[in-house]
Amino acid sequence: MILARLLSLESWKRGLWTIIRLVLIIGLSFVILYPIIQKISTAIKDKADLYSPIVVFIPEHFTLDNFKQAISIMDYWETLLNTFVLSSMTTIMTAASCAFAGYAFARLKFKGSNLLFGGVILTILVPPTTILIPIYMNLKDFTLLGLIPLLTGGKSLNLLDSYWPFILTSLTANSLKAGLYIFIFRQFFRGIPKEVEEAAYIDGAGIGSTFLRIMLPNAIPSIVTVLLFSFVWQWNDSFFTTTYLTSSKVMSTQLSSLPYNLQILLEGGATTNKDPFFMSMVQDTGILLAILPLVILYLFVQRYFVESIERTGIVG
Amino acid sequence: MRTITKRVFRSRTYNEQKALWGFLYVLPWLLGFLFFFLIPLLSSLQYSFSSIKANANGMTMKYIGFANYVEALTVNTSFNRTLTESVVNMVVNVPLIVIFSLFLAVLLNQKFVGRALARSIFFLPVILASGVIATLEASSLVQAINEQNANGGVFSSGTLELANIMVRSGVNQDIVLYLMDAVERIYQIVSQSGVQILIFLAGIQTISPQLYEASKIEGATGYEAFWKITFPMVSPLILVNVIYTIIDSFSRNNMTTLIKETGFTTFNFGLSSAMAWIYFLVIMIILLVSTYFISKRVFYQE
């Protein structure tokens, strides 16, 4: 009888916990999804609905005007293409160079490699703002240790306002948060048993083919992690893009100048109405348009996170 | 003959080959590290000690000692305030984010219906809440007006009851207080803890299930199992997450904006570099202190 009571208390507790867990998860999911839902509902609202007290989520006058406005101001399709090219380019090059470096730091030890890995940690720890200005100056008059002036006859290259800064930094594994990716790859490769490598060597594979044909196919979860992180962070980054690219149209620069452009349009156009709420509405639509490609991308790759997080290499 | 083959063979032992290839693989990173990190870092230090004048012929630099640092700390009107603000923000937010993400990771590791969906929702902030979007979101007027319509926030009425339920279900009082604080700034916390949840979840999944089975047989409750097994086993990751959270806050605070504005709007490179170095030193001190205190309590299996 005592046992039965104990059992019932246990099951009571368990039931209560299930309910709390449900409430917490649904509540927090709502908190995360709330801004997105709100943006969607704002984007399809008419201006008249903005002040209507009855309208909360589902608009009374459905319209796509906000989308049209935001698309034309942001030059959306061109911006989308530019951003996509820039992000995928840097993503692929960063992932490749970081995978090489990470593998070397994990398995191909040489004299001083631990010291160099300390350098990787240092790149993670130093805030990018600290080195921003010298890099900017360096790229403005790019000489590559005085080699380029010799070739072009005394003139240095101005690499700003082109994709070259991104290409150079990602090829050399020093782009945005690249230290973190090297760290992830290193942790992952350390987790693969040494015997795999030795077996490949005995079967006649060199170091290069061992890495490309044995280790890389095993590292797909960590590759997906790095690809996604790098793509998303590059897409959203406003810190480096606004510094390096001053006139080129990419998503984050367009998005941050959207309020300004909208203001100019409203002042110069037929409508002299400069309603701050309307501006905010178009801005929200712009944000929605900017994150839409990322959400679509996430829908495809999220199962790699959900199914096999333990193999993403973050912990190793 | 034999010695020759021996020598040829010896010149390329497996280990030597590995070292050679290792160096080749690291080489791109090393070049980038020198050109895009180490040299800029040193010249930034040099800038911070000099006054820089840009003219038609390029730049002229003059060594002026600590004048830029003195100016940043005593003359500049917004530097001190921004620095204290971002440091205080960091110190308050980091424990909240780490505790919250550990809690959620434990929650998301349990088996329940719709777990895959819940997980993909909770990692969504990794994508949405970074960079320019987060900055713009804070200034959204539509959001503000909707919150007004919804009678002041979404959660304020439910907070107290939730806390009561948790106290009754046997959760520690301090944790409840912490959570109350977190609930009030819930969106900020949730949106910054995506990667941390990922890291903790990965760590929890590497704990061997035998430990939990054995403790269950011995009669441990879920609460005890958390504090005696899960918590010590993921404690190294707490350190990782604290460091990650501190680093992550670089990209979204006012300090970064101030440094960038000083450099690129008023073109005072010397002052901007000095600010950046003070900021870097403050961060390093925080990192060292927190690493010291946490690593004393961290449990390693070896």
Side-chain angles (χ1 to χ4, degrees):
Chain A
M1 184 152 149
I2 298 167
L3 191 74
R5 192 183 288 169
L6 208 73
L7 262 177
S8 76
L9 191 71
E10 265 310 279
S11 63
W12 249 101
K13 255 184 170 173
R14 203 172 302 145
L16 196 65
W17 174 234
T18 311
I19 291 166
I20 293 169
R21 189 172 59 198
L22 200 69
V23 169
L24 270 178
I25 285 175
I26 290 175
L28 289 170
S29 302
F30 177 71
V31 169
I32 294 169
L33 293 177
Y34 179 68
I36 304 175
I37 295 169
Q38 194 174 48
K39 275 198 190 65
I40 294 172
S41 95
T42 312
I44 56 172
K45 252 182 217 170
D46 194 71
K47 221 159 116 185
D49 285 357
L50 210 52
Y51 295 107
S52 161
I54 346 166
V55 176
V56 179
F57 281 116
I58 300 162
E60 213 177 346
H61 310 279
F62 175 79
T63 173
L64 287 174
D65 274 357
N66 293 326
F67 279 109
K68 280 178 199 147
Q69 197 120 27
I71 285 175
S72 78
I73 293 172
M74 287 169 75
D75 215 343
Y76 185 68
W77 302 113
E78 198 196 327
T79 312
L80 186 70
L81 184 71
N82 282 346
T83 320
F84 192 79
V85 168
L86 177 67
S87 300
S88 39
M89 202 166 63
T90 55
T91 299
I92 290 167
M93 287 193 287
T94 308
S97 57
C98 289
F100 277 114
Y103 181 59
F105 282 126
R107 279 296 158 75
L108 308 174
K109 290 275 165 69
F110 54 93
K111 241 183 206 167
S113 74
N114 281 334
L115 185 74
L116 289 181
F117 190 69
V120 174
I121 300 292
L122 193 68
T123 59
I124 300 176
L125 294 182
V126 173
T129 28
T130 310
I131 55 169
L132 183 68
I133 287 170
I135 289 185
Y136 181 82
M137 306 302 276
N138 189 3
L139 290 169
K140 205 174 160 201
D141 302 300
F142 193 70
T143 55
L144 198 71
L145 290 179
L147 280 178
I148 289 174
L150 289 178
L151 293 174
T152 58
K155 276 179 90 180
S156 57
L157 288 174
N158 185 356
L159 292 184
L160 289 173
D161 211 10
S162 71
Y163 289 163
W164 279 107
F166 298 100
I167 295 174
L168 287 176
T169 50
S170 53
L171 262 186
T172 56
N174 268 275
S175 51
L176 183 69
K177 299 199 185 187
L180 191 66
Y181 310 142
I182 295 179
F183 187 75
I184 289 175
F185 274 125
R186 175 179 174 260
Q187 294 298 92
F188 185 84
F189 284 126
R190 277 193 349 166
I192 296 179
K194 263 202 171 97
E195 287 76 20
V196 176
E197 250 172 29
E198 276 156 15
Y201 181 67
I202 286 164
D203 286 349
I207 308 269
S209 55
T210 311
F211 175 61
L212 291 175
R213 291 172 58 190
I214 314 282
M215 299 307 259
L216 274 188
N218 275 313
I220 283 176
S222 63
I223 293 173
V224 170
T225 313
V226 168
L227 284 179
L228 182 80
F229 278 3
S230 149
F231 190 83
V232 164
W233 280 331
Q234 181 60 50
W235 186 283
N236 286 336
D237 170 57
S238 60
F239 184 74
F240 285 112
T241 36
T242 50
T243 315
Y244 295 160
L245 289 173
T246 39
S247 66
S248 180
K249 283 174 177 168
V250 293
M251 204 59 92
S252 54
T253 54
Q254 286 296 92
L255 207 55
S256 54
S257 57
L258 177 66
Y260 180 71
N261 286 342
L262 186 63
Q263 206 160 6
I264 289 175
L265 189 84
L266 289 180
E267 270 172 356
T271 37
T272 44
N273 180 14
K274 225 173 61 181
D275 184 355
F277 285 106
F278 174 65
M279 283 178 50
S280 176
M281 193 157 127
V282 177
Q283 188 181 315
D284 272 10
T285 315
I287 295 176
L288 192 68
L289 282 171
I291 59 177
L292 202 63
L294 290 182
V295 173
I296 293 168
L297 178 82
Y298 180 68
L299 288 181
F300 284 107
V301 297
Q302 51 90 15
R303 69 195 164 90
Y304 283 96
F305 284 105
V306 175
E307 305 291 322
S308 60
I309 307 159
E310 72 271 30
R311 296 193 63 230
T312 49
I314 293 176
V315 178
Chain B
M1 188 66 202
R2 207 170 192 187
T3 50
I4 293 169
T5 46
K6 209 174 181 183
R7 188 167 294 163
V8 169
F9 184 69
R10 256 196 120 170
S11 70
R12 306 193 66 190
T13 60
Y14 186 41
N15 277 337
E16 277 165 12
Q17 252 186 62
K18 264 171 118 175
L20 180 71
W21 280 95
F23 185 71
L24 283 180
Y25 281 5
V26 171
L27 197 61
W29 171 81
L30 188 62
L31 287 176
F33 177 72
L34 287 177
F35 286 119
F36 297 111
F37 184 80
L38 203 61
I39 294 173
L41 189 69
L42 294 177
S43 38
S44 157
L45 188 63
Q46 191 194 358
Y47 287 1
S48 72
F49 287 114
S50 34
S51 100
I52 295 164
K53 291 233 162 57
N55 51 26
N57 309 325
M59 296 192 314
T60 45
M61 257 193 275
K62 216 179 83 197
Y63 178 77
I64 51 165
F66 279 94
N68 281 323
Y69 288 87
V70 173
E71 191 185 340
L73 287 172
T74 56
V75 181
N76 195 293
T77 43
S78 44
F79 180 73
N80 279 334
R81 187 168 44 83
T82 317
L83 184 66
T84 15
E85 248 171 41
S86 31
V87 168
V88 166
N89 254 343
M90 194 186 290
V91 170
V92 172
N93 270 349
V94 166
L96 272 180
I97 289 172
V98 171
I99 290 166
F100 178 77
S101 50
L102 177 59
F103 179 73
L104 268 185
V106 171
L107 216 61
L108 288 177
N109 194 43
Q110 291 171 345
K111 281 199 177 67
F112 56 87
V113 183
R115 180 171 75 161
L117 182 71
R119 278 187 187 176
S120 38
I121 289 174
F122 278 95
F123 301 147
L124 206 57
V126 177
I127 290 176
L128 302 181
S130 58
V132 68
I133 292 160
T135 330
L136 284 179
E137 217 153 57
S139 61
S140 174
L141 276 169
V142 175
Q143 206 123 311
I145 201 177
N146 270 25
E147 260 163 38
Q148 286 257 313
N149 282 351
N151 218 349
V154 197
F155 270 90
S156 52
S157 55
T159 314
L160 210 66
E161 271 163 57
L162 194 68
N164 278 340
I165 293 173
M166 282 201 301
V167 170
R168 258 181 274 153
S169 71
V171 183
N172 197 321
Q173 189 93 34
D174 293 335
I175 296 173
V176 175
L177 278 179
Y178 241 134
L179 283 175
M180 290 268 285
D181 193 13
V183 164
E184 266 154 35
R185 294 183 296 148
I186 192 77
Y187 186 68
Q188 203 191 347
I189 305 282
V190 170
S191 65
Q192 289 180 28
S193 49
V195 176
Q196 288 87 332
I197 295 173
L198 205 67
I199 293 174
F200 273 137
L201 203 51
I204 289 171
Q205 288 179 347
T206 57
I207 302 172
S208 79
Q210 284 99 312
L211 288 174
Y212 290 106
E213 273 164 33
S215 75
K216 210 172 187 181
I217 290 165
E218 302 280 343
T221 60
Y223 178 70
E224 281 168 341
F226 172 78
W227 286 107
K228 298 268 157 67
I229 300 170
T230 314
F231 191 72
M233 293 298 273
V234 298
S235 60
L237 295 180
I238 291 177
L239 183 62
V240 172
N241 269 336
V242 166
I243 293 173
Y244 179 80
T245 314
I246 291 174
I247 292 164
D248 194 41
S249 69
F250 294 159
S251 55
R252 60 177 110 235
N253 66 24
N254 297 328
M255 201 60 229
T256 312
T257 327
L258 179 70
I259 292 170
K260 216 175 149 179
E261 258 170 24
T262 316
F264 289 99
T265 321
T266 57
F267 290 102
N268 197 340
F269 289 156
L271 181 62
S272 171
S273 302
M275 282 175 173
W277 269 88
I278 296 173
Y279 181 52
F280 172 51
L281 290 179
V282 170
I283 301 274
M284 277 323 262
I285 291 168
I286 294 174
L287 276 177
L288 284 179
V289 169
S290 49
T291 309
Y292 176 73
F293 279 111
I294 295 168
S295 60
K296 268 194 355 192
R297 286 173 175 74
V298 163
F299 168 80
Y300 287 106
Q301 209 155 26
E302 290 88 35

